[in-house]
Amino acid sequence: MNILAIDIGGTKLAAALIDANSQISQRLEIATPASSSPQALEEALAQLVAPYQGKAQCVAVASTGIIDQGILTALNPDNLGGLNQFPLQQTLQRLTALPCTVLNDAQAAAWAEYHYLADRFKHITFITVSTGVGGGVIINGQLLTGPHAFAGHIGHTLADPNGPCCGCGRTGCVESIASGRAIAAAAQNELQGKDARQIFSAAQNDNLQAKRLIIHSAQAICQLIANLKAILDTECVVLGGSVGLAQGYRQQVEEGLALLPPPFHIPVFAAHYKHDAGLIGAALFAAEQNQ
Ligand code: ADP
Ligand code: BMX
Ligand code: ZN
């Protein structure tokens, strides 16, 4: 059986077919529409799923936002071009005429990475540093979603009470300092208007401001990991997202963590499934729900 998996992020929409062995094929990617209109997202999803007609038996979605009872509610609408409410499950069922399972993107990625690590760990936390900062928590082998599907939104915990305003309405959230959008928003002078990818290349070329912006982000993630260890006694952290997986980023997080007292030390791994963790986790979750 093939599952059509879809990953909806603040920057890109990805889709692929996933078979019963979690093998991925026919992967496609398009840009997330920069519009607050639900119609724009629906049109983009229609374009994305069109090539898969007749190729899958069900649809599994990993999406940015709080995904509760099939509805996407943005905690930080800025990440989705201002879009706030979207009937995700219903829309994809209509577009594909297939049953559809929906989950938050970082929760889905956590589930995939847990499957990979399950022989060694039962308590893991996945952190995506991408357009935003998201999280998925596995406790005793169970994915924690919470009564309102809000669990794991660790990007909206406090990093700096004097920090920037976050798109969620709070001040100084981890996401407002560490995310790809935050790195770009803090850039000045020669880096103003550049995106996080360009700022990472500037850092490779020894631009000092770029290096400082990236270290600032990595330090916020390092403190977040220490908080997670204290709250959950999580056994390891898995880092994903294009910023989290960027060259040298994980090492900076690890270096910061090594400076904290030993009770806060935990291994920090790069996502085994890299940019496909959300797709694979959504498919695994859907297959288990449909059993
Ligand atoms: P999404 O948030 O849609 O899941 P990504 O995980 O690709 O997508 O995260 C998008 C963010 O990552 C953007 O801020 C983008 O500038 C940044 N980014 C993309 N590629 C790279 C890269 N190679 N190095 C560093 N940052 C990157
Ligand atoms: C935001 C939030 C989370 C999401 C995280 C990473 C919205 C729209 N999204 O904190 O639900 O998991 O970003 O999302 O409020 P990504 O787009 O960066 O992958
Ligand atoms: Zn916030």
Side-chain angles (χ1 to χ4, degrees):
M1 160 160 133
N2 270 329
I3 295 179
L4 169 56
I6 298 173
D7 188 348
I8 301 175
T11 300
K12 61 180 199 293
L13 311 179
L17 292 177
I18 313 238
D19 72 13
N21 299 316
S22 290
Q23 292 302 307
I24 196 159
S25 63
Q26 300 184 43
R27 194 185 194 287
L28 294 174
E29 219 175 90
I30 59 174
T32 307
S35 161
S36 63
S37 130
Q39 210 184 332
L41 182 55
E42 178 165 346
E43 281 166 17
L45 289 171
Q47 180 195 335
L48 189 66
V49 301
Y52 299 98
Q53 214 178 0
K55 294 183 177 171
Q57 286 71 53
C58 69
V59 180
V61 185
S63 175
T64 191
I66 300 163
I67 312 299
D68 194 17
Q69 307 201 22
I71 311 280
L72 184 176
T73 304
L75 180 59
N76 182 353
D78 292 354
N79 287 3
L80 272 174
L83 182 70
N84 196 354
Q85 293 279 328
F86 187 77
L88 188 59
Q89 186 177 30
Q90 193 194 59
T91 302
L92 277 160
Q93 280 178 182
R94 183 158 34 77
L95 289 174
T96 59
L98 292 171
C100 174
T101 306
V102 293
L103 193 63
N104 168 268
D105 55 357
Q107 291 173 350
W111 196 231
E113 296 295 328
Y114 170 65
H115 273 253
Y116 177 70
L117 291 168
D119 290 348
R120 294 162 63 196
F121 302 107
K122 290 286 168 252
H123 306 263
I124 77 158
T125 303
F126 176 85
I127 303 177
T128 176
V129 189
S130 36
T131 312
V133 173
V137 176
I138 309 291
I139 295 184
N140 211 11
Q142 304 277 332
L143 176 65
L144 184 74
T145 52
H148 309 102
F150 190 43
H153 276 78
I154 53 183
H156 303 276
T157 57
L158 185 68
D160 177 359
N162 302 310
C165 288
C166 181
C168 76
R170 286 186 85 184
T171 296
C173 290
V174 173
E175 180 162 300
S176 74
I177 292 171
S179 67
R181 281 178 69 103
I183 293 170
Q188 294 176 338
N189 304 323
E190 77 283 6
L191 295 181
Q192 195 149 22
K194 307 265 186 230
D195 65 17
R197 183 203 296 261
Q198 294 167 317
I199 292 167
F200 271 79
S201 351
Q204 296 269 338
N205 292 325
D206 279 335
N207 179 291
L208 282 183
Q209 186 198 169
K211 287 185 172 181
R212 268 203 313 274
L213 290 167
I214 293 164
I215 286 177
H216 196 48
S217 159
Q219 281 174 349
I221 297 300
C222 161
Q223 294 298 337
L224 170 64
I225 292 171
N227 290 343
L228 288 165
K229 178 73 163 69
I231 297 166
L232 300 169
D233 195 14
T234 196
E235 293 172 287
C236 69
V237 160
V238 180
L239 259 192
S242 289
V243 173
L245 291 168
Q247 206 190 343
Y249 187 85
R250 184 179 63 88
Q251 285 74 7
Q252 292 190 37
V253 172
E254 276 185 323
E255 280 164 25
L257 209 49
L259 299 175
L260 297 181
F264 297 99
H265 294 180
I266 39 170
V268 180
F269 302 120
H272 171 75
Y273 294 112
K274 304 212 164 58
H275 300 275
D276 295 331
L279 290 170
I280 290 173
L284 283 167
F285 187 78
E288 289 155 9
Q289 300 285 302
N290 295 335
Q291 258 169 20

